[in-house]
Amino acid sequence: MRYREPGGRRGRQRERSFARRVGSDGADAFADKVESDKKADVRFDPAPGRVSLQVWAQEWLERRVIGESTRRNYEGFIQNHLVPRLGRKMLTGLARRDFEEFAKELHSSGAGLAVSTINDRLVMVAAMLEVAVVEKRIRHNPARGVRVLRAAPCAVDEDGIPTLGEVDLIAEHIASQYRLAVYLQSGTGQRPSEALAFSTECRRSGFVRVRWQVSAKAHRGDCHTSIVPLKHRTEGEYRDVPAAPFVEQEIDGHLSRWAPVPMAFTGLRGRRRRLEVFFSPRQRGKGVMPTASTFGYHFKKACVAAGVVDVDGMAKYTPGSLRHFFASTALANGVPIREVSRWLGHKSVKTTVDIYGHLVPEAWDRCRDTMQNAMRPATEGVEESVSAA
C-alpha cells in the first residue's frame, strides 16, 4: 500500500507491503494508524535516525552513569558481538527480525556466552534503542522483548559422576592447596566458585554456611568486587549445608598447613567487607583470588595425573562432577530431594528433579511395585497354589 507521512501534500510518500490485509499486523490496521497520526498531527522526521548502530551505541554508552566493571562488560559485548553483526545498519533500518537472528546466532555460535548473559546483554541493547525512541530517532524499539529461551536442565549422565575412589584419587593428585576444595564440593555440594570463597565465617558446628562466591573476574588486579553474592541470591543471603566429620577433618588438615588470609573487598552495595579466606594465593599474584577457571585447570591436571581420563587421554570429569557426586550419593541413600535441592542452592526444586530425579532409587522401586500390583496382582498367589498342589 502507498501512504503519505503527516504534513499534507508536503509529507513524504512511502510504500509498504504486508503479508495480509486483516489482523493487528495487517495493512488495514497500519492504514488506520497512519490516518490517526495525521488527524493528531503527529510528525516524525526520519533524519535523526540515519546514524549507524555502531555510532549510536558508542554515544549511548558514553552518556551512561555505570560502574567501570559494567562499562567494560558492555564495551566488550558491543565491540565483539553487536558491531560486527549489526554495527553498520542505520537505526531507521533496524527491524525486530535483525535482533531475533542476532540472538539466535549468539546462542548457537558457541561464543561462550551463557543464556543468562545473552539475555542480560539483549536487555542492554533494548535500553539503548529505547533512548532512541524517546529522542524520536526511531518510531519503535525493534529489540524490545527479544530473548533467548532457557533450555530445560539436562538429566545428569550417570557415567559423568565419579566414584568415591576417583574423588579420592583426584584429591591426592591435585595441587595440595586445592585438596580441600575437592572435598568441599563432593562433601557439601558447593559450586567451584563457592568452595574457593570458603572463609573462617563459613565454618560452623556440624555444618558450613555458604554466603559468597568468587567472581569470574577475581584474577584481575583491578577487580574491586572479587567476592560476590551466591548465584540466584542477593547480598546477605546464604544457605547452610550439613558437614560430615571427614569434611571437618579436611578443614583442620588445610589449616595445619595454611593460615587463613585476611582479604578486604567491596560488596555490590558499596560496603567494604573483610573475610579470612582459605584459598588466596600465597606466593605469586598476592591479593588476587583464584577463580573457577584457575581451579578447573588444576582439576583437569589432577585427573590426568591420577589416570582418571577418557579414551582420548583427556580429563574424564569437570569440577561440576563433584557436585553430581554429592547429590547422587545423598539421593541414593534416601535423603529427600527437596533437602538436596536446598543444599545445592538450586533456584527451584524442579531444577533438581530435572537433573537428578532419575537417580532416586525409591521412585524406581515404587514404580515397579505399583505396575506389578496393578497388572499382575495374583501371579504370586497362583504360583504358591500350584506349588502346594
Side-chain angles (χ1 to χ4, degrees), residues 104-357:
K104 180 180 179 181
E105 183 179 303
L106 277 177
H107 183 52
S108 61
S109 65
L113 298 178
V115 171
S116 58
T117 302
I118 293 174
N119 286 337
D120 178 72
R121 298 301 181 266
L122 290 173
V123 170
M124 179 266 292
V125 173
M128 177 194 306
L129 293 176
E130 196 63 38
V131 175
V133 173
V134 172
E135 295 185 1
K136 298 189 183 304
R137 292 177 178 269
I138 52 178
R139 286 181 179 273
H140 309 289
N141 186 344
R144 184 185 297 159
V146 176
R147 299 288 185 276
V148 174
L149 296 178
R150 289 177 177 271
C154 296
V156 64
D157 185 346
E158 292 182 65
D159 292 337
I161 303 174
T163 64
L164 173 58
E166 289 173 325
V167 171
D168 288 335
L169 273 175
I170 294 169
E172 289 174 11
H173 287 82
I174 201 167
S176 54
Q177 66 265 36
Y178 291 116
R179 174 187 171 95
L180 175 60
V182 172
Y183 287 114
L184 287 175
Q185 279 204 266
S186 59
T188 63
Q190 296 183 50
R191 297 180 175 92
S193 55
E194 294 169 347
L196 293 174
F198 197 80
S199 65
T200 53
E201 78 152 18
C202 297
R203 189 177 189 183
R204 306 296 170 104
S205 179
F207 67 95
V208 294
R209 174 158 292 176
V210 187
R211 189 192 298 273
W212 303 100
Q213 65 180 7
V214 175
S215 166
K217 302 181 181 64
H219 64 287
R220 296 167 54 161
D222 60 347
C223 180
H224 299 295
T225 54
S226 53
I227 304 293
V228 296
L230 302 179
K231 184 177 181 181
H232 305 312
R233 302 292 184 267
T234 59
E235 190 167 302
E237 291 186 300
Y238 62 86
R239 69 179 190 272
D240 292 335
V241 186
F246 84 88
V247 175
E248 300 276 357
Q249 293 169 4
E250 289 294 336
I251 294 174
D252 289 335
H254 183 92
L255 292 176
S256 69
R257 300 187 62 181
W258 296 283
V261 177
M263 176 190 173
F265 66 98
T266 303
L268 296 183
R269 299 173 182 171
R271 177 184 169 187
R272 292 289 288 171
R273 295 180 176 273
R274 177 187 173 96
L275 293 177
E276 293 186 347
V277 295
F278 280 37
F279 294 103
S280 180
R282 264 69 177 176
Q283 299 180 5
R284 40 184 188 171
K286 290 184 178 180
V288 178
M289 287 294 294
T291 64
S293 297
T294 306
F295 179 63
Y297 165 79
H298 288 284
F299 184 90
K300 291 179 181 178
K301 189 176 178 181
C303 285
V304 173
V308 184
V309 295
D310 58 21
V311 293
D312 297 319
M314 306 296 288
K316 189 176 179 181
Y317 304 111
T318 67
S321 303
L322 298 176
R323 267 167 63 87
H324 296 331
F325 175 85
F326 169 80
S328 61
T329 301
L331 292 171
N333 287 277
V335 178
I337 196 166
R338 184 172 293 278
E339 294 299 314
V340 174
S341 177
R342 182 160 56 87
W343 297 333
L344 288 172
H346 284 163
K347 190 174 183 179
S348 166
V349 70
K350 180 180 182 302
T351 301
T352 316
V353 172
D354 289 342
I355 299 174
Y356 301 111

